[in-house]
Amino acid sequence: MMTRTQVGIVGAGPAGLMLSHLLSLNGIDSVVIDNRTRLEIENTVRAGILEADSARLLADTGVSDRVLRDGHPHEGIDLRFGGESHRIDFRALVGESVWLYPQTDVFVDLANARSRDGGDVRFGVRDTCVDVDAPAIRFVDSDGVAQEVRCDLLVGADGSRSICRDQVPEALRTFSFREYPFAWFGIITQAPRSAEELVYAHSPRGFALISQRTETHQRMYFQCGPETDAAVWSDDRIWEELQARVAGPDGFTLKEGPITERTVLRFRSFVAEPMRYGNLLLAGDAAHTVPPTGAKGLNLALADVRVLSEVVERALLKNDRDALDEYGPRALARVWKAQHFSYWMTTMLHALPGATDFDVRRQLGELRSVTGSEAGSRFLAEGYTGCWPA
Ligand code: DHB
């Protein structure tokens, strides 16, 4: 079966679906495919913080205003070290807040909006391959039928294990990456909130992050070794570790409950350049991944497709193919700021294996510099909210 469209998009995560949505607002046709089923994507627990611009993009372009109704605006975070909390007030420092709204909900809103607007999204496909020279996507659909989608432009929004990225010839591409000697143990617990805002905790036992989900379920993480097997940890041991990492003279404790979900998240910083090769454009995790500290991944993906939709419109509707050249440099300027921010938050807050007393006390000095001065706090607030000066 053959389908003809203007933009063929591999990957129906937030990047692929948002791009398809933005293009459709300008009358540009696209087909989105994904090898996962819709249910598989909906059941993957991902991060939960949206920059204000990401929330506005969802609401203002008509995806859904659910983010504004069901999401929670957060006007700051707590940095906790030496057993004390220090608030960073985003609203006062940069005039913006962020939204607690899980990526799974962003995905559901986008998938619903695409189906409401008659978008062509095919989940659960297999054997996907792409042709960049005569742009096309070939795959076997969920009914077992071989399909070909011919298009003018191809977009690889197919995540950190992208197959599209490999189409850029080795001689023309640069992969920059950094591994970290730790991971996060992430849990969902059925318990009330322990704090109104997110708590990022530095402790001698390592980092912990106290986040939220709903009135009844909360999300928390603690630094662990990269080879940790989540299954062998009892609930009691998990709570003991989390409590120890946030403990302090102020008596702050976490409200405990049954742990309903647990996963170990690997840490990596990665950027693939260029983001364009001929008819192929890469977006989101296919082009870059960040360590989770600061929750930049989804926000970067949405920032990519905002630029990408604009240059694709110029290329396809105004016959200005040179516009495509602008995509990589414009997107990468933000990507590298976010890479720095995620790396910086990570290295400032985590216990580095083999750290000396000097290293730990230097980290505490850095945390005091950030929380103790307006310039330091504003630097964090700009990065966290994504409100970097242009
Ligand atoms: C969440 C995840 C993050 O990585 C982060 O920095 C903040 C919040 C979350 O899942 O809620």
Side-chain angles (χ1 to χ4, degrees):
M1 294 280 286
M2 208 274 279
T3 311
R4 169 86 223 144
T5 190
Q6 287 168 292
V7 183
I9 303 174
V10 184
L17 292 179
M18 180 55 99
L19 178 65
S20 175
H21 172 73
L22 292 175
L23 293 175
S24 77
L25 295 178
N26 282 288
I28 296 175
D29 217 47
S30 62
V31 174
V32 191
I33 64 126
D34 201 297
N35 56 13
R36 298 164 297 176
T37 63
R38 191 177 154 154
L39 208 63
E40 276 166 349
I41 307 179
E42 280 179 17
N43 287 333
T44 313
V45 182
R46 304 293 294 266
I49 290 289
L50 288 183
E51 294 168 1
D53 273 347
S54 301
R56 279 192 283 265
L57 187 68
L58 288 166
D60 295 352
T61 66
V63 173
S64 164
D65 61 3
R66 201 161 67 98
V67 56
L68 306 180
R69 283 185 284 114
D70 298 350
H72 297 272
H74 280 219
E75 302 201 336
I77 56 166
D78 271 353
L79 287 185
R80 193 168 168 83
F81 54 94
E84 282 175 20
S85 288
H86 305 258
R87 184 162 188 263
I88 307 284
D89 186 336
F90 301 152
R91 169 81 42 206
L93 290 159
V94 294
E96 280 287 15
S97 49
V98 295
W99 291 80
L100 185 88
Y101 190 69
Q103 178 166 332
T104 307
D105 294 72
V106 173
F107 166 78
V108 168
D109 291 348
L110 282 163
N112 287 344
R114 284 286 61 214
S115 93
R116 172 196 73 200
D117 299 343
D120 188 343
V121 184
R122 313 200 196 168
F123 292 104
V125 312
R126 59 184 163 86
D127 301 339
T128 304
C129 57
V130 295
D131 184 335
V132 178
D133 297 327
I137 311 174
R138 295 186 190 90
F139 57 95
V140 176
D141 71 16
S142 56
D143 296 324
V145 180
Q147 297 279 354
E148 178 174 53
V149 173
R150 289 191 195 158
C151 48
D152 299 320
L153 291 173
L154 259 177
V155 172
D158 50 342
S160 55
R161 287 190 290 270
S162 173
I163 57 158
C164 294
R165 182 169 70 212
D166 296 336
Q167 300 298 312
V168 183
E170 249 171 74
L172 299 182
R173 73 190 188 198
T174 311
F175 289 173
S176 312
F177 64 89
R178 184 184 181 95
E179 305 277 354
Y180 298 81
F182 42 74
W184 275 6
F185 195 124
I187 63 156
I188 299 263
T189 178
Q190 194 181 343
R193 282 188 192 91
S194 292
E196 284 308 306
E197 293 181 335
L198 271 62
V199 181
Y200 286 79
H202 174 281
S203 90
R205 299 171 72 122
F207 171 76
L209 169 59
I210 311 308
S211 182
Q212 295 99 23
R213 282 296 178 268
T214 61
E215 296 303 321
T216 57
H217 286 79
Q218 314 308 329
R219 181 81 165 137
M220 300 181 194
Y221 305 90
F222 62 93
Q223 175 186 353
C224 63
E227 306 305 331
T228 302
D229 178 2
V232 306
W233 280 63
S234 69
D235 284 18
D236 283 350
R237 187 171 165 216
I238 292 171
W239 282 118
E240 197 182 314
E241 198 55 49
L242 277 164
Q243 296 285 16
R245 293 186 188 200
V246 300
D250 62 359
F252 179 56
T253 48
L254 302 171
K255 299 201 173 104
E256 301 184 9
I259 292 170
T260 56
E261 159 82 41
R262 50 173 74 200
T263 16
V264 171
L265 288 77
R266 296 299 288 265
F267 265 59
R268 201 159 193 240
S269 298
F270 171 77
V271 181
E273 295 177 72
M275 288 173 73
R276 176 197 172 193
Y277 168 65
N279 301 307
L280 171 69
L281 301 120
L282 301 175
D285 279 0
H288 40 76
T289 40
V290 286
T293 329
K296 280 280 156 265
L298 167 61
N299 294 294
L300 268 188
L302 295 178
D304 279 355
V305 299
R306 190 178 319 160
V307 178
L308 186 52
S309 66
E310 185 204 308
V311 299
V312 166
E313 276 150 37
R314 277 161 53 200
L316 296 183
L317 301 181
K318 306 205 172 91
N319 238 343
D320 172 17
R321 272 197 72 98
D322 291 346
L324 297 176
D325 290 332
E326 281 179 30
Y327 169 57
R330 276 175 63 190
L332 283 161
R334 186 179 192 85
V335 165
W336 279 109
K337 283 183 196 168
Q339 284 291 354
H340 170 68
F341 177 75
S342 308
Y343 162 89
W344 174 64
M345 285 282 280
T346 299
T347 52
M348 179 167 66
L349 288 162
H350 287 70
L352 306 170
T356 61
D357 185 49
F358 174 87
D359 298 327
V360 175
R361 298 185 71 173
R362 189 206 58 76
Q363 268 182 332
L364 292 169
E366 186 176 15
L367 283 160
R368 281 199 191 92
S369 307
V370 168
T371 54
S373 97
E374 183 173 323
S377 299
R378 177 171 297 128
F379 182 74
L380 191 148
E382 280 177 359
Y384 201 97
T385 58
C387 296
W388 286 294

